[in-house]
Amino acid sequence: MNAAEPDWLDLRVPFDDAARQYALPLLDMAARALSLDAERQVGTERPLVVIDLGAGTGNSMRFFDRHLAQRLPERPLHWVLVDADESALEIAAGRFGATVRTVAAPISSLPAIAAEVLDEVATKVGTASLTEVGTVKPRGERRTAAAASPDSCDLLITGSALLDVLTREDLATIVETLHRFSGAGLFLLSISGQWRLRPSHPDDDTLDEAFGRHQRRESRLGTHAATVLETMARSTGARVETSASPWQLEAPGDAEFLTRLLTERVDAAVEEEPRLRARGRAWLEDRWAQSGLRVVIDHTDVLIDATDQRGPRRAQFNPRKGEPKR
């Protein structure tokens, strides 16, 4: 996971949230899948462990938390924010306090993180259940010692603007974790195509192609990530749904965001192809001189539902081995 500047993460919030509205049907599907899974243990208020990957300063978690609470109002949510950038997680911890756990770790640590948190939450649920066995409660509220099993809680893995900076090995780790722990995954805002600008410019495609190659540096998947993840997940028998969530931007109303976005894309293109430096600067000057500039940047959202793959898998992980830094 590559670190992003906190001010950039905050600047993009309203645009991300606008694009995330396209993902609400997928969020509905995820909530239904997790609700059906919860019904397998009638009489328990099953906790939901939510691990947000590439969490940054917590803006992704804020969106998911609000909408999950609306769709799963009876489910206790246990949030774990995972990112390689410790400074961003410190900001998130300051914002949300004791309501979240932050873990500075790479994607490769995901199985151990999931195993540890699920076991901790299951233990807490089991302890509470055992103290309440035999107590008089209204019908449908009585808890039993069965709730102390490792399957006393469910797993949801989330992420926003994440997949395109990951490698094939990272995606395989995510899919394997969902499969082993019978979880659901919802990943939003993965760059999936070209920018579309109106009016057009002769250098649009040249700069976009160089930017795309820059995104695929160091084995990152770039615009191919969502498709690769879908294929991997289907191969395990999981159900997969996708949808589009474009950024739709227009000057002058979105001028601050467009300035930062287009400048950084050109900088990345020039880093990939230094010969484009003069053309890139001229392109930016031409764009700023235009009135009514419109930009659409395509993203793909991916839902993975592996909740039907429940089995004796959690014991296969040792959460203490290679435990990530906290």
Side-chain angles (χ1 to χ4, degrees):
M1 292 179 287
N2 286 19
E5 295 295 327
D7 65 324
W8 167 244
L9 296 177
D10 290 342
L11 181 62
R12 62 182 286 168
V13 167
F15 305 96
D16 282 348
D17 282 352
R20 286 185 183 111
Q21 299 305 307
Y22 294 103
L24 294 182
L26 294 185
L27 198 56
D28 291 336
M29 293 180 194
R32 284 196 295 271
L34 292 164
S35 295
L36 291 171
D37 195 51
E39 289 171 4
R40 294 171 184 162
Q41 293 204 14
V42 178
T44 67
E45 296 175 1
R46 289 167 61 88
L48 177 61
V49 171
V50 191
I51 300 177
D52 193 59
L53 297 176
T57 58
N59 292 319
S60 176
M61 172 258 180
R62 192 197 311 270
F63 172 85
F64 281 113
D65 186 62
R66 180 171 70 252
H67 288 283
L68 286 171
Q70 294 171 358
R71 289 161 175 77
L72 300 169
E74 303 302 322
R75 305 290 298 276
L77 302 181
H78 296 259
W79 277 98
V80 183
L81 307 187
V82 178
D83 201 294
D85 185 355
E86 293 186 56
S87 61
L89 290 176
E90 288 175 2
I91 295 173
R95 287 177 172 175
F96 302 108
T99 60
V100 303
R101 173 190 298 197
T102 61
V103 182
I107 296 289
S108 58
S109 297
L110 178 60
I113 294 168
E116 179 178 349
V117 177
L118 287 166
D119 285 346
E120 285 182 5
V121 174
T123 299
K124 291 178 182 178
V125 171
T127 301
S129 300
L130 288 169
T131 61
E132 296 182 14
V133 170
T135 60
V136 177
K137 283 183 172 258
R139 184 177 181 181
E141 293 186 18
R142 183 175 303 219
R143 301 187 183 201
T144 70
S149 75
D151 292 326
S152 302
C153 50
D154 296 312
L155 174 66
L156 173 65
I157 300 176
T158 61
S160 294
L162 170 71
L163 300 182
D164 43 275
V165 300
L166 300 184
T167 66
R168 186 175 294 271
E169 290 72 22
D170 293 330
L171 297 191
T173 298
I174 291 172
V175 170
E176 178 65 9
T177 303
L178 290 171
H179 176 70
R180 296 236 181 171
F181 295 103
S182 305
L186 186 52
F187 306 96
L188 309 185
L189 300 175
S190 296
I191 294 176
S192 59
Q194 295 179 322
W195 54 8
R196 302 194 299 277
L197 300 96
R198 296 291 180 272
S200 62
H201 187 285
D203 286 330
D204 287 350
D205 290 345
T206 299
L207 291 169
D208 190 53
E209 288 169 4
F211 173 77
R213 289 194 297 274
H214 185 273
Q215 290 298 94
R216 294 189 292 276
R217 281 186 172 190
E218 300 174 350
S219 300
R220 293 175 297 183
L221 290 168
T223 57
H224 304 304
T227 301
V228 171
L229 179 64
E230 179 181 0
T231 300
M232 284 184 176
R234 290 189 188 280
S235 72
T236 69
R239 172 193 174 195
V240 181
E241 300 286 347
T242 64
S243 65
S245 55
W247 273 345
Q248 303 190 57
L249 313 169
E250 184 173 356
D254 302 326
E256 181 184 7
F257 184 68
L258 274 171
T259 298
R260 178 79 174 263
L261 172 70
L262 297 184
T263 299
E264 292 196 356
R265 285 177 73 102
V266 168
D267 288 345
V270 170
E271 184 178 348
E272 182 67 22
E273 292 284 351
R275 64 181 180 81
L276 295 176
R277 184 176 305 278
R279 291 171 68 181
R281 294 304 140 195
W283 182 88
L284 284 173
E285 291 177 4
D286 290 345
R287 286 307 189 186
W288 306 148
Q290 293 171 335
S291 60
L293 174 63
R294 297 185 179 185
V295 181
V296 176
I297 297 181
D298 292 327
H299 300 96
T300 298
D301 302 328
V302 182
L303 168 66
I304 302 173
D305 178 7
T307 57
D308 286 337
Q309 299 174 340
R310 185 166 295 281
R313 303 183 179 105
R314 293 181 187 174
Q316 298 181 34
F317 288 110
N318 179 2
R320 300 298 176 186
K321 183 179 180 180
E323 186 172 339
K325 182 177 181 180
R326 284 172 179 74

